[in-house]
Amino acid sequence: MNWLQALPEEQVEALRSHSTHGEYEAGATIFTPESHPHSVYLLEQGIVRIYRLSKDGAETTFGYVAPGEVFGELPAFGDFPRESFAGTVKHSHVWKIPVGVFQTLMESKPGVAIEITRQIGQRLKRIESRVENLVFRDVRARVAHILLELAQDFGKQANGGRELEVEFTQAELATLVGSTRQTVNESLRSLEESGLIAREGRRLVIVKTNELRRATRPRVELG
């Protein structure tokens, strides 16, 4: 957690002492929508998924939170309702920080505010990219794109490729690319048969990064 490491130890301990700390098993819910949230969250360990539910109960995944990232941060910037859910993908350690404490920290440490803004901007850019994908790319290209994105955030070099360290189900991938589990399964099979990806047990491995990147090309020209 780079921005925490940059803080003086006494300031880290002060932030820690004013926070509530929770251990969550995989599949647990950290927060749900609420009208007037009063806390922001920091992921120390694990992976968290941010998603929303439609009226008929269908899930749409907005993204994943990696260790060191703040999430559920909108209350720190105004009286905004919380409209999303946060749930754990794997065992996670989460800090729940009162809004006032977090705002004081950002005011006293501009570097922290800049880093949090960078994280938020990156998250919004990812969402914007996925909306663009829905318009300009077919499902196979969208799956290729999201695999590259996940490999960047949660991948490690292994056996000449890049292995996703987290087991993302086809249903979870489907909510990310705006498709059905069956269609995502067909796209994964196509990419695997083309030699662009492989499976190591239940995990996916990016075998040919450049070729997979070419597979993300939109079906129409942008602009």
Side-chain angles (χ1 to χ4, degrees):
M1 296 187 295
N2 294 336
W3 65 269
L4 268 185
Q5 293 172 359
L7 293 177
E9 184 61 29
E10 62 271 15
Q11 200 156 19
V12 174
E13 289 305 314
L15 182 62
R16 188 189 305 272
S17 67
H18 285 93
S19 304
T20 302
H21 300 263
E23 296 282 343
Y24 298 86
E25 295 301 322
T29 299
I30 298 172
F31 62 65
T32 60
E34 57 181 306
S35 300
H36 301 285
H38 300 290
S39 302
V40 299
Y41 296 80
L42 168 67
L43 181 62
E44 180 175 355
Q45 178 184 346
I47 297 178
V48 169
R49 180 170 70 103
I50 306 298
Y51 64 98
R52 291 189 184 181
L53 294 179
S54 66
K55 292 182 179 180
D56 60 4
E59 293 185 3
T60 298
T61 299
F62 281 82
Y64 292 87
V65 181
E69 292 187 358
V70 170
F71 60 105
E73 69 283 335
L74 279 181
F77 300 95
D79 185 21
F80 299 107
R82 177 167 287 143
E83 300 178 342
S84 300
F85 293 78
T88 53
V89 175
K90 59 189 293 187
H91 182 271
S92 301
H93 183 192
V94 178
W95 296 23
K96 182 179 180 181
I97 309 171
V99 166
V101 172
F102 192 72
Q103 289 173 330
T104 298
L105 174 64
M106 289 198 298
E107 290 169 358
S108 64
K109 293 291 182 180
V112 171
I114 291 172
E115 173 60 19
I116 300 307
T117 302
R118 185 195 66 79
Q119 290 181 4
I120 295 170
Q122 187 175 46
R123 203 170 297 152
L124 290 175
K125 184 174 177 60
R126 291 280 173 84
I127 293 173
E128 182 182 75
S129 176
R130 287 173 195 150
V131 172
E132 179 185 284
N133 286 342
L134 288 173
V135 177
F136 295 108
R137 292 179 171 89
D138 60 22
V139 175
R140 186 178 185 273
R142 299 203 302 264
V143 170
H145 184 273
I146 202 64
L147 290 179
L148 289 169
E149 182 180 296
L150 293 174
Q152 179 181 342
D153 293 341
F154 305 109
K156 66 176 182 179
Q157 293 301 122
N159 301 321
R162 191 160 182 85
E163 178 182 347
L164 299 187
E165 295 187 86
V166 181
E167 298 172 5
F168 294 96
T169 68
Q170 292 173 9
E172 288 170 341
L173 292 175
T175 67
L176 278 169
V177 302
S179 185
T180 64
R181 186 186 62 78
Q182 180 180 356
T183 305
V184 166
N185 181 43
E186 293 170 356
S187 297
L188 289 172
R189 188 184 306 116
S190 172
L191 294 171
E192 189 173 1
E193 290 173 349
S194 299
L196 306 186
I197 66 173
R199 299 178 190 267
E200 293 290 341
R202 297 181 60 185
R203 295 187 179 183
L204 293 170
V205 179
I206 310 301
V207 179
K208 298 179 179 179
T209 301
N210 290 335
E211 288 85 344
L212 188 62
R213 188 170 289 114
R214 282 196 288 271
T216 69
R217 290 174 178 170
R219 60 178 179 266
V220 297
E221 292 297 325
L222 301 181

